[in-house]
Amino acid sequence: QSVLTQPPSVSAAPGQKVTISCSGSTSNIGNNYVSWYQQLPGTAPKLLIYDNNKRPSGIPDRFSGSKSGTSATLGITGLQTGDEADYYCGTWDSSLSARVFGTGTKVTVL
Amino acid sequence: EVQLVESGGAVVQPGGSLRLSCAASGFTLDDYNMHWVRQAPGKGLEWVSVINWGSGTTYYADSVKGRFTISRDNSKNSLYVQMNSLRTDDTAVYYCAKDKHSTSSLLDAFDIWGQGTMVTVSS
């Protein structure tokens, strides 16, 4: 069982915005950086956001991250068909001494 | 180009052993925390283990503790995981991944992933 909870799925029309929540606790999100990953079908995950809200080089600013307390949020604006993928949050859990992932969210572009 | 290439995946019987390898190129493996992450068929990502840069301190998920051992060979710029007492629920694609920042704490993010290698545990 994952210690980070995400909604199983979100959907929106092309050009619209979606947000994905990631809920944790003080031992993980509350006191550590959050990162977000995109996994297209049949491929390895790709880093989208690190240190809560920073984008690696090459990631468009349509992707944004934020954190408040023990929850984090990934936002995707200007939704495109190529954004259809599974998205995972991740962080370090100080109680477990382990990296942990969220349960994953499937984004569908209607 | 920074790259990770896993190998060693196979079909193995329950109770068996397997060693996976991850060859790194384009960076010095010893400068980064290096991880194994797995994904069972149709399931989410599960972190398996990390080896800390420099000191080589290791951490494991509870699900593999005592059965898996992560290691690295700096002379070969390669990462390994020795998997013993394999169970059917160890069946997964295994990815190696590096942390984004060199000489970082464990509060970092995975920025480069390999393509994965499939391990199937079945009789």
Side-chain angles (χ1 to χ4, degrees):
Chain A
Q1 270 89 338
S2 176
V3 299
L4 304 180
T5 302
Q6 298 178 230
S9 64
V10 297
S11 61
Q16 297 301 302
K17 175 182 179 179
V18 295
T19 59
I20 300 171
S21 60
C22 176
S23 179
S25 68
T26 54
S27 66
N28 42 67
I29 292 177
N31 285 286
N32 296 312
Y33 288 122
V34 177
S35 51
W36 288 91
Y37 305 88
Q38 176 194 61
Q39 188 175 32
L40 298 170
T43 70
K46 175 183 177 181
L47 178 64
L48 289 179
I49 298 289
Y50 68 99
D51 291 358
N52 302 330
N53 55 19
K54 298 177 183 175
R55 283 176 287 106
S57 174
I59 301 299
D61 59 7
R62 300 187 300 106
F63 295 91
S64 64
S66 63
K67 189 183 96 167
S68 177
T70 59
S71 292
T73 301
L74 174 71
I76 310 174
T77 59
L79 204 59
Q80 302 174 0
T81 55
D83 296 333
E84 285 203 332
D86 294 321
Y87 292 81
Y88 296 90
C89 57
T91 188
W92 176 258
D93 190 294
S94 304
S95 295
L96 299 174
S97 292
R99 289 274 175 97
V100 290
F101 288 102
T103 48
T105 299
K106 182 175 182 59
V107 170
T108 301
V109 181
L110 301 172
Chain B
E1 180 190 6
V2 175
Q3 193 173 13
L4 296 169
V5 179
E6 302 95 336
S7 61
V11 178
V12 61
Q13 291 189 336
S17 298
L18 200 61
R19 189 177 87 148
L20 305 182
S21 302
C22 172
S25 58
F27 71 100
T28 301
L29 186 136
D30 191 35
D31 287 342
Y32 293 84
N33 300 323
M34 295 296 300
H35 304 255
W36 288 98
V37 176
R38 68 184 181 183
Q39 187 170 35
K43 302 298 184 182
L45 300 173
E46 180 187 15
W47 175 82
V48 172
S49 181
V50 61
I51 184 164
N52 194 218
W53 70 273
S55 70
T57 302
T58 58
Y59 297 88
Y60 298 91
D62 286 345
S63 58
V64 307
K65 202 171 292 183
R67 301 187 300 121
F68 289 15
T69 303
I70 190 173
S71 63
R72 66 181 182 229
D73 184 333
N74 295 334
S75 68
K76 295 183 179 179
N77 216 37
S78 292
L79 179 73
Y80 306 97
V81 62
Q82 176 67 42
M83 304 185 295
N84 299 328
S85 303
L86 283 162
R87 310 187 304 220
T88 55
D89 61 358
D90 294 318
T91 295
V93 174
Y94 284 74
Y95 298 100
C96 65
K98 69 173 277 293
D99 271 353
K100 179 171 175 52
H101 300 100
S102 65
T103 65
S104 70
S105 73
L106 291 165
L107 312 182
D108 204 347
F110 311 99
D111 74 328
I112 301 294
W113 299 66
Q115 85 288 351
T117 188
M118 184 70 203
V119 173
T120 302
V121 184
S122 173
S123 55

